[in-house]
Amino acid sequence: MAHDSTLSPEEASKKQIRTIWKVAGILAFVTAIEFVVAFSGLHDTLKLLIFIGLTIVKAAYIVGEFMHLRHEVKFLIWSIILPMIFVCWFVAAMILEGGHIH
Amino acid sequence: MASTLTVSDSKINWGGGNEPFKASYGKLMMWFFLLSDAFTFSSLLISYALIRYSHPAFIGSSSEFTFSHEYWPVPERVFEAFPGMHSLGIEAAPLVFVGLMTFILIMSSVTMVLAVEAGHRGSKAEVEKWMLWTILGGLTFLGCQAWEWTHFIVGTEHGLTFSELINGEWVTRTIYGANLVENEYGPQPFADLFFFITGFHGFHVFSGVVINYIVFYNVMLGTYERIGSYEMVEKVGLYWHFVDLVWVFVFTFFYLV
């Protein structure tokens, strides 16, 4: 997992652990913001967009750093991300379609 | 592997022994399994989106919200209980309990990466420690979910009183809690989707804990030390982070929106 070959194994490991805790802090912080937004009385559509945006931020950190995808080969990154982009489109389409049914 | 190839150029890419993704077979297959699992969860979220938005939304502020079969419930008014809050004199703690569950699962994801990191250094004792914390986090999450389900099934003290036409006569009755047939909180699909989505996720957490335990047991036996690689911890780690990732989406779409 060492990304920088100039670091000694101990230094690389320390750097890694620092990154892990930093990402954990970011995830906790984003969840806290979501809580604030949930009780802020914002307009529903705006709220929905903020929640989806923040969820994608969290997902990016979990997949990119915790699951290490950011540091994989470009082809591997795209073979996972590309199908998921279509799924996101599908979810968005169903939210819109659902609104036209009732 | 690729660097040891000395065969002719035409065989470098197609003759085998090459790793175009620079990842081992096991890790690659874990990634593609998770992709297919993501499709399964997506199908649940897609159904949720369609069904939810095909029901009328409650109009007004969430403090005026009351349970009714006429509109989709406001989640922060459904999930507002916390263990022991009545004995502390607290009326409602909206979303605090799911917030805690989210925190527990994210923390167990953190301890999982720490176990993977320790594995890279080959530190058996540390892998054991962090794996154990991860398993504990998973079990705590499952315990919380059991409480959450129990509360959802048992229902509120006042219940929902409503009239319905049975055999040509209007009958007024009160229902408490929710199951797959009746739902106090709102339209029936709300309860069905709650059980299916959180249940399917909870089952993933459960299998994750079981697999984590098997790997932890093998770490203790020194299996990976003998092989000289802790890659199995990485593979089970991928699965565990995926479970955390799905919860991030469930938290947003089921509880926050």
Side-chain angles (χ1 to χ4, degrees):
Chain A
M1 245 200 226
H3 310 126
D4 194 347
S5 51
T6 59
L7 294 175
S8 72
E10 293 86 51
E11 281 171 336
S13 151
K14 275 212 183 97
K15 193 169 164 241
Q16 183 96 44
I17 291 172
R18 261 206 310 278
T19 313
I20 293 169
W21 284 109
K22 204 179 88 191
V23 174
I26 292 170
L27 290 176
F29 181 66
V30 174
T31 308
I33 293 178
E34 284 180 330
F35 256 87
V36 173
V37 174
F39 298 112
S40 64
L42 279 175
H43 186 260
D44 275 355
T45 317
L46 183 65
K47 232 181 184 175
L48 182 66
L49 287 177
I50 292 175
F51 283 145
I52 291 174
L54 291 177
T55 303
I56 290 172
V57 169
K58 283 208 277 189
Y61 272 108
I62 293 174
V63 177
E65 289 294 339
F66 284 1
M67 295 171 90
H68 209 246
L69 189 63
R70 203 162 75 80
H71 309 288
E72 302 287 354
V73 173
K74 198 171 70 186
F75 287 119
L76 179 50
I77 296 177
W78 281 105
S79 36
I80 303 298
I81 298 298
L82 201 60
M84 289 323 290
I85 290 175
F86 286 111
V87 169
C88 291
W89 173 26
F90 202 173
V91 176
M94 284 301 115
I95 290 179
L96 294 173
E97 289 290 313
H100 293 300
I101 288 180
H102 69 84
Chain B
M1 292 266 173
S3 59
T4 61
L5 278 179
T6 50
V7 283
S8 67
D9 280 358
S10 63
K11 283 206 170 170
I12 284 179
N13 288 324
W14 303 100
N18 206 348
E19 287 188 348
F21 282 169
K22 302 277 185 292
S24 71
Y25 175 80
K27 247 165 98 174
L28 211 51
M29 289 306 116
M30 182 51 98
W31 268 111
F32 289 126
F33 162 69
L34 293 181
L35 185 63
S36 71
D37 216 16
F39 290 162
T40 316
F41 275 107
S42 303
S43 71
L44 287 174
L45 283 181
I46 287 164
S47 325
Y48 177 75
L50 184 75
I51 293 171
R52 184 205 168 132
Y53 285 97
S54 64
H55 281 80
F58 173 71
I59 296 167
S61 76
S62 84
S63 53
E64 295 157 10
F65 171 80
T66 48
F67 296 143
S68 162
H69 288 152
E70 300 302 317
Y71 42 76
W72 201 261
V74 176
E76 68 189 56
R77 294 299 307 279
V78 177
F79 306 102
E80 56 173 22
F82 198 88
M85 72 173 183
H86 288 303
S87 52
L88 291 169
I90 300 163
E91 268 304 300
L95 301 182
V96 173
F97 195 61
V98 269
L100 177 71
M101 285 165 73
T102 308
F103 179 73
I104 290 168
L105 209 56
I106 287 179
M107 280 318 289
S108 83
S109 222
V110 173
T111 55
M112 188 78 235
V113 231
L114 290 169
V116 172
E117 198 278 329
H120 284 289
R121 287 182 280 121
S123 165
K124 187 180 165 213
E126 275 188 77
V127 179
E128 274 174 20
K129 178 180 83 179
W130 292 121
M131 284 297 290
L132 202 57
W133 277 113
T134 309
I135 293 166
L136 260 174
L139 287 174
T140 315
F141 180 86
L142 284 174
C144 290
Q145 204 162 39
W147 188 87
E148 175 97 336
W149 271 49
T150 310
H151 192 268
F152 191 81
I153 293 167
V154 171
T156 56
E157 282 157 27
H158 49 82
L160 172 69
T161 308
F162 68 106
S163 303
E164 65 178 341
L165 203 56
I166 298 173
N167 296 331
E169 261 182 88
W170 282 98
V171 181
T172 301
R173 59 195 188 93
T174 304
I175 50 171
Y176 298 93
N179 49 47
L180 293 177
V181 184
E182 288 191 314
N183 178 12
E184 171 195 343
Y185 311 101
Q188 187 57 42
F190 174 75
D192 298 350
L193 286 162
F194 173 82
F195 289 123
F196 270 92
I197 295 176
T198 65
F200 200 60
H201 174 264
F203 187 68
H204 273 75
V205 178
F206 172 74
S207 25
V209 168
V210 172
I211 301 165
N212 272 344
Y213 182 76
I214 295 169
V215 171
F216 169 72
Y217 190 73
N218 270 307
V219 173
M220 284 216 303
L221 288 181
T223 310
Y224 307 124
E225 202 165 45
R226 248 193 335 274
I227 302 170
S229 159
Y230 279 89
E231 205 196 51
M232 194 55 92
V233 180
E234 251 176 85
K235 281 183 255 181
V236 74
L238 282 178
Y239 180 76
W240 191 251
H241 298 314
F242 174 76
V243 168
D244 180 30
L245 181 70
V246 170
W247 181 256
V248 164
F249 279 86
V250 172
F251 177 66
T252 301
F253 286 103
F254 211 92
Y255 293 97
L256 285 181
V257 174

